[in-house]
Amino acid sequence: MINSNVYECIFKRFDDDGDGKLFPSELRHCMEMIGEEQLMEEAEELVASIDSDGDGLLGLEDFVGWMERDIRGDEERKMEELREAFRMYVMEGSECITPKSLKRMLSRLGEPRSVEECCVMIRQFDVK
């Protein structure tokens, strides 16, 4: 997890007027700075969904909570993607990637390998 001081620095960078609160317009601007196009009404809806004290603005605590939930969600999505990719390589009845299943999947992907090459690849990355 990221240190809370990092979140505070990011928050201060986005807090254009330095009042300790992020207006929807400031949030929209910061999203644009990282390449995410966002309509003003989307920024307003996001702030309303995160705002804990109902003032229509994001304080540091709201911002940190949002960032941590967002990062946690990204990590969960990445883990699910890894599980899905792992399942592609596993043969039925097995809970691990075998040289034969790896060979089959690599062939499907246009990267044919021999069973021996697949054994070497598995030994190189196997954590058991």
Side-chain angles (χ1 to χ4, degrees), residues 18 24 30 51 66 68 80 84-85 94-95:
C30 77
D51 178 21
W66 173 56
E68 287 178 346
E80 185 53 38
E84 183 69 28
S94 173
E95 291 187 15

Side-chain angles (χ1 to χ4, degrees), residues 6-7 10-11 19 50 59 81-82 86 88 90-91 96 99 105 128:
V6 172
Y7 291 132
I10 294 169
F11 180 86
D19 67 349
I50 301 167
E81 288 171 5
L82 285 172
F86 183 80
M88 290 173 52
V90 173
M91 292 185 79
C96 61
M105 187 52 70
K128 287 185 181 180

Side-chain angles (χ1 to χ4, degrees), residues 10-23:
I10 294 169
F11 180 86
K12 286 179 180 178
R13 173 70 174 103
F14 294 152
D15 183 14
D16 292 334
D17 60 7
D19 67 349
K21 296 279 188 169
L22 292 183
F23 286 83

Side-chain angles (χ1 to χ4, degrees), residues 17 33 72 87 95 97 110 115:
D17 60 7
M33 287 173 47
R72 204 170 28 253
R87 284 190 287 269
E95 291 187 15
I97 298 173
V115 172

Side-chain angles (χ1 to χ4, degrees), residues 36-47:
E36 294 288 327
E37 199 165 317
Q38 189 174 51
L39 299 173
M40 181 55 93
E41 69 181 36
E42 292 173 324
E44 290 168 348
E45 288 172 11
L46 181 59
V47 168

Side-chain angles (χ1 to χ4, degrees), residues 45-110:
E45 288 172 11
L46 181 59
V47 168
S49 71
I50 301 167
D51 178 21
S52 63
D53 63 7
D55 65 357
L57 307 171
L58 292 186
L60 177 60
E61 188 174 304
D62 295 328
F63 182 77
V64 169
W66 173 56
M67 294 297 293
E68 287 178 346
R69 281 188 304 276
D70 193 51
I71 288 171
R72 204 170 28 253
D74 282 346
E75 290 171 356
E76 289 170 5
R77 278 189 295 278
K78 287 177 187 174
M79 286 302 294
E80 185 53 38
E81 288 171 5
L82 285 172
R83 283 186 201 98
E84 183 69 28
F86 183 80
R87 284 190 287 269
M88 290 173 52
Y89 286 87
V90 173
M91 292 185 79
E92 282 188 41
S94 173
E95 291 187 15
C96 61
I97 298 173
T98 65
K100 188 176 176 183
S101 66
L102 181 58
K103 179 184 184 322
R104 184 189 68 214
M105 187 52 70
L106 290 174
S107 293
R108 287 182 183 169
L109 295 172

